[in-house]
């Protein structure tokens, strides 16, 4: 685990590189989709946290700023949009009808845990996520190797152009992409880099527990939960966290346009 190229963020604790062992597990081929989450909500009547709060964060290019009714945060590319939640991710008037095979977004860590309980699965640890994302490769930047666009081919959905003003969409997408877009990694897993951040089970801590070699987990407590993989908003100019070693976190009640999850399960 960890950054072998000295390209990470010191505050994220990507180094030093360490060798760990994880017990066998199953990981879903794709991130949880809008179709998957719709089935969960239909079966359980679950109400997500953003629905309860009455708003969520939406990337500024996806919404008319003049219609934003809530106070804007200091980060000018995130807007707090009233009535934005998983089935209308950009607020009133938006829909997932044409995005059923896209990853569900606007879900908090707590929402993801509720889905996992219903599905009989769980969220991956950071160690499991990174092991799976590497697809059998060792000390590579990305799930497919060291080059971002080998032979000019886009292999993930990230920001193309000048962030945050212009996305030329040379990879084909301005927002989320279907979960089966691009080639899978060596383990047959799709979109382990880019598209949407994926919640992990661990509390986030910039300091790895270097004494734990077998099935390492995060600390017992903390303010944030770990996220992995980067998203369609990542760009090398400010956030190259679409690398497999990259880490980030958010409070467990946070939701946004670029945050989803993927499930794992134990081998019994």
């Amino acid at each position: 685990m960890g950054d072998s190229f000295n390209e990470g963020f010191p505050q994220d604790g990507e180094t030093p590189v360490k060798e760990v062992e994880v017990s066998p597990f199953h990981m879903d081929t794709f991130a949880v989709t809008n179709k998957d989450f719709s089935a969960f909500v239909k079966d359980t009547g679950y109400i997500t946290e953003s629905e309860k709060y009455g708003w969520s964060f939406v990337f500024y290019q996806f919404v008319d700023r003049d219609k934003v009714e809530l106070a804007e945060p200091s980060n000018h590319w995130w807007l707090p949009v009233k009535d934005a939640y998983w089935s209308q991710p950009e607020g009133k008037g938006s829909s997932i009808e044409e995005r059923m095979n896209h990853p569900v977004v606007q879900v908090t860590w707590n929402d993801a845990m509720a889905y996992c309980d219903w599905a009989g699965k769980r969220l991956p640890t950071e160690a499991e996520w990174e092991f799976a994302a590497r697809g059998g490769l060792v000390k590579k930047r990305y799930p497919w190797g060291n080059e971002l666009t080998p032979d000019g081919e886009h292999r993930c959905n990230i920001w193309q152009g000048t962030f945050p003003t212009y996305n030329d969409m040379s990879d084909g997408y301005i927002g989320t992409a279907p979960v089966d877009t691009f080639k899978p990694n060596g383990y047959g897993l799709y979109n382990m880099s880019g598209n949407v951040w994926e919640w992990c089970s661990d509390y986030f801590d910039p300091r790895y527990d270097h004494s734990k070699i077998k099935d390492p987990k995060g600390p017992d407590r903390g303010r944030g939960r770990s996220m992995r993989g980067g998203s369609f908003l990542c760009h090398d100019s400010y956030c190259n966290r679409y690398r497999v070693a990259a880490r980030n976190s958010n409070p467990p009640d946070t939701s946004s346009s670029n945050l989803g999850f993927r499930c794992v399960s134990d081998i019994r």
Side-chain angles (χ1 to χ4, degrees):
M1 295 180 69
D3 167 33
S4 301
F5 301 92
N6 197 30
E7 296 172 335
F9 297 87
Q11 68 271 23
D12 292 348
E14 292 186 35
T15 55
V17 175
K18 61 177 294 190
E19 186 171 313
V20 302
E21 179 183 351
V22 292
S23 298
F25 63 97
H26 292 290
M27 175 172 269
D28 287 354
T29 304
F30 309 111
V32 173
T33 65
N34 285 315
K35 181 179 180 181
D36 298 330
F37 205 79
S38 296
F40 160 60
V41 170
K42 182 178 180 180
D43 188 53
T44 64
Y46 183 79
I47 299 174
T48 60
E49 292 194 295
S50 55
E51 290 175 87
K52 295 175 182 177
Y53 300 151
W55 68 278
S56 189
F57 286 113
V58 179
F59 185 63
Y60 84 100
Q61 290 190 355
F62 298 166
V63 67
D64 185 347
R65 189 183 292 267
D66 293 336
K67 295 181 180 179
V68 176
E69 303 176 24
L70 305 173
E72 294 187 20
S74 58
N75 185 331
H76 63 277
W77 58 74
W78 285 115
L79 298 178
V81 176
K82 187 177 180 181
D83 297 323
Y85 54 88
W86 74 273
S87 62
Q88 49 184 49
E90 293 82 47
K92 287 182 179 179
S94 63
S95 170
I96 58 170
E97 185 175 344
E98 302 299 323
R99 291 180 272 178
M100 296 305 286
N101 197 36
H102 287 229
V104 65
V105 294
Q106 304 292 13
V107 286
T108 67
W109 184 89
N110 298 314
D111 296 332
M113 289 291 288
Y115 177 93
C116 288
D117 287 344
W118 172 78
K121 300 180 181 181
R122 60 180 176 82
L123 292 177
T125 65
E126 282 199 75
E128 289 172 330
W129 192 96
E130 186 169 331
F131 176 86
R134 291 186 178 279
L137 301 180
V138 179
K139 294 185 178 181
K140 302 296 184 181
R141 286 188 179 93
Y142 310 114
W144 54 87
N146 285 330
E147 298 298 321
L148 181 60
T149 53
D151 297 323
E153 179 186 9
H154 288 287
R155 301 296 297 270
C156 64
N157 176 19
I158 56 177
W159 189 276
Q160 309 292 325
T162 304
F163 187 86
T165 56
Y166 175 66
N167 188 344
D168 65 26
M169 296 189 295
S170 57
D171 59 8
Y173 302 93
I174 192 168
T176 59
V179 295
D180 56 356
T181 307
F182 306 109
K183 294 179 180 179
N185 72 0
Y187 292 151
L189 306 174
Y190 287 76
N191 288 296
M192 297 301 289
S193 284
N195 214 21
V196 295
W197 283 102
E198 298 184 3
W199 286 114
C200 291
S201 61
D202 304 9
Y203 281 111
F204 180 81
D205 191 323
R207 298 162 298 180
Y208 280 130
D209 180 0
H210 297 285
S211 65
K212 183 70 172 177
I213 302 301
K214 177 71 179 291
D215 293 325
K217 297 180 180 179
D220 294 333
R221 60 181 63 86
R223 293 184 177 180
R225 293 288 183 172
S226 297
M227 312 183 309
R228 288 296 197 122
S231 81
F232 63 86
L233 293 178
C234 282
H235 187 269
D236 187 56
S237 64
Y238 86 102
C239 174
N240 64 350
R241 291 185 175 94
Y242 42 85
R243 297 167 295 104
V244 291
R247 314 172 66 216
N248 208 343
S249 68
N250 254 324
D253 60 353
T254 298
S255 57
S256 66
S257 301
N258 65 338
L259 181 50
F261 67 104
R262 182 186 310 247
C263 299
V264 299
S265 55
D266 296 318
I267 293 178
R268 305 183 188 283

